[in-house]
């Protein structure tokens, strides 16, 4: 039942998954998706992993997947799959899986999650509910069309130079 079979004794080589994104941060909107970051086990290529995702989830509504080439922002090839997951009473939630061969903690989506979680936690560190106000501000900015990263930068007063983007600015806070 594993997406890329690995011997049971080789648990460090089995995929690892983390829920990241707006839902666990409580800055999600009604149409937000579940973001999963996945480490592909050694011995399994990104295209093979995408094929395995398709065989498991390809029958779900809206299923699509693609290979993302390495970029200057992320030097590792990755795979992305999207689909709708049916829930009870005819409702569904969009799911997006990011998969790469690097450990989850080294993947950009996970690092952004950690940075955003830290910003919210630090805003609420003194018990003044500033974290709640920041969460509400991020949701409001997202509802107005901003990206999650852009909303965090604006809500926390993090400057984004004209020649940069909020995604990279937030990522640099991790260093």
């Amino acid at each position: 039942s594993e997406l890329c079979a690995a011997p049971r004794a080789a648990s460090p080589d089995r995929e690892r998954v983390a829920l990241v994104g707006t839902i666990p941060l409580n800055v999600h909107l009604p149409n937000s998706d579940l973001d999963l970051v996945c480490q592909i086990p050694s011995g399994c290529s990104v295209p093979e992993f995408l094929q395995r995702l398709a065989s498991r989830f390809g029958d779900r509504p809206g299923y699509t997947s693609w290979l993302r080439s390495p970029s200057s922002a992320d030097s590792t090839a990755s795979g992305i799959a999207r689909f709708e997951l049916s829930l009870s009473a005819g409702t569904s939630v969009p799911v997006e899986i990011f998969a790469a061969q690097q450990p989850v903690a080294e993947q950009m989506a996970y690092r952004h999650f950690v940075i955003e979680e830290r910003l919210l936690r630090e805003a609420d560190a003194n018990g003044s509910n500033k974290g709640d106000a920041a969460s509400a501000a991020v949701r409001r900015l997202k509802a107005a069309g901003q990206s999650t990263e852009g909303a965090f930068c604006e809500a926390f007063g993090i400057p984004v130079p004209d020649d940069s983007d909020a995604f990279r600015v937030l990522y640099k806070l991790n260093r």
Side-chain angles (χ1 to χ4, degrees), residues 7-164:
R8 288 276 181 216
S11 61
D13 288 339
R14 294 174 59 200
E15 65 262 11
R16 293 193 169 78
V17 179
L19 176 63
V20 299
T22 61
I23 292 174
L25 292 174
N26 195 27
V27 295
H28 58 287
L29 300 176
N31 62 343
S32 292
D33 58 6
L34 287 173
D35 291 318
L36 300 170
V37 178
C38 181
Q39 179 184 0
I40 300 171
S42 62
C44 183
S45 69
V46 176
E48 180 184 6
F49 193 78
L50 287 175
Q51 289 174 339
R52 305 247 177 162
L53 285 174
S55 69
R56 181 167 290 172
F57 302 110
D59 63 340
R60 301 296 198 281
Y63 183 87
T64 185
S65 67
W66 64 95
L67 180 65
R68 195 179 82 198
S69 300
S71 68
S72 60
D74 192 0
S75 61
T76 306
S78 59
I80 301 173
R82 289 184 179 153
F83 56 91
E84 292 286 323
L85 181 64
S86 297
L87 304 173
S88 61
T91 61
S92 66
V93 64
V95 175
E96 188 165 76
I97 299 173
F98 301 88
Q101 292 176 320
Q102 63 194 141
V104 166
E106 295 176 15
Q107 294 186 39
M108 289 186 76
Y110 183 81
R111 288 182 176 200
H112 272 102
F113 173 75
V114 169
I115 293 162
E116 293 161 354
E117 181 182 46
R118 186 186 79 218
L119 287 169
L120 291 170
R121 187 176 58 247
E122 288 174 358
D124 210 26
N126 64 7
S128 64
N129 290 329
K130 288 183 182 177
D132 290 342
S135 293
V138 170
R139 279 192 298 276
R140 180 178 43 75
L141 292 164
K142 285 178 56 62
Q146 286 231 25
S147 68
T148 299
E149 292 81 9
F152 266 90
C153 286
E154 187 170 330
F156 284 92
I158 300 167
V160 179
D162 291 339
D163 64 341
S164 189

